Amino acid sequence: MLEEGGLTVNEVMKTIVHRRTVRRFDKRQIEEDALEQILKAGLYAPSAGGRQSVIFAVCQDETVNERLEKIKRANSRPHMAEGEKYVSREQPSIADDPNITDAFYHAPTVITMFAPKGFLFSPEDCAAAAENMMLAADSLGIGSCYTGQGWTAFAAPYGQEILRKWGIRKDYYAVIQLLLEYPRKGDSHPMPKERRTDRILRF
């Protein structure tokens, strides 16, 4: 247990408070043991009805990832970055900087989460798994970034070929990608934004 801000904080809470999205990666591949722990965290995430229907497709093939990230970038047209509407000024996303040409930010490990097309809670199941995995990654000193609209990476003949190669069922779709890698050397840990406590309502 740790003392932080006058509160007693355990290791889980310390990781939750410390975790940040990382979009600038070192090019060093993560160790297999770390990857296994992160995947285990995903397998133990809550799922609606305990269905455990999310499929985790791990790709560490640089050629495949580079082609899929370019397809995703070409099919992603976010319009958030204008005025005060931005994702991150410290580590810009593709919504913030049109000069970023790859949607995976050169991460060497990309985990695409697939879920059933006809199930109401597929996005929520994938989001819960991603959060578990990001926390596990942070606890191991590994950076992570969650990217939505996972299906856009496969919106081209090459992407469809990859789905067939991976054996992805036709009744499943790509919900999100989780990017994993060590933060770039020399970069400081992203600073947290001030927490807006006015979002908590007590009755």
Side-chain angles (χ1 to χ4, degrees), residues 49-74:
R51 291 165 61 107
Q52 301 183 54
S53 54
V54 176
I55 293 173
F56 305 86
V58 182
C59 186
Q60 295 181 316
D61 185 313
E62 184 177 0
T63 300
V64 173
N65 284 337
E66 284 183 351
R67 291 193 65 176
L68 291 179
E69 70 185 4
K70 285 179 170 52
I71 294 171
K72 181 167 184 169
R73 185 67 183 93

Side-chain angles (χ1 to χ4, degrees), residues 153-189:
F154 303 93
Y158 178 78
Q160 294 299 303
E161 177 188 333
I162 291 298
L163 293 180
R164 289 190 292 271
K165 182 178 178 181
W166 289 355
I168 303 301
R169 294 167 44 172
K170 292 186 180 297
D171 59 335
Y172 270 56
Y173 74 110
V175 181
I176 64 173
Q177 274 91 26
L178 180 63
L179 317 177
L180 298 171
E181 179 49 296
Y182 294 100
R184 192 170 68 184
K185 291 179 181 177
D187 278 0
S188 58
H189 188 65

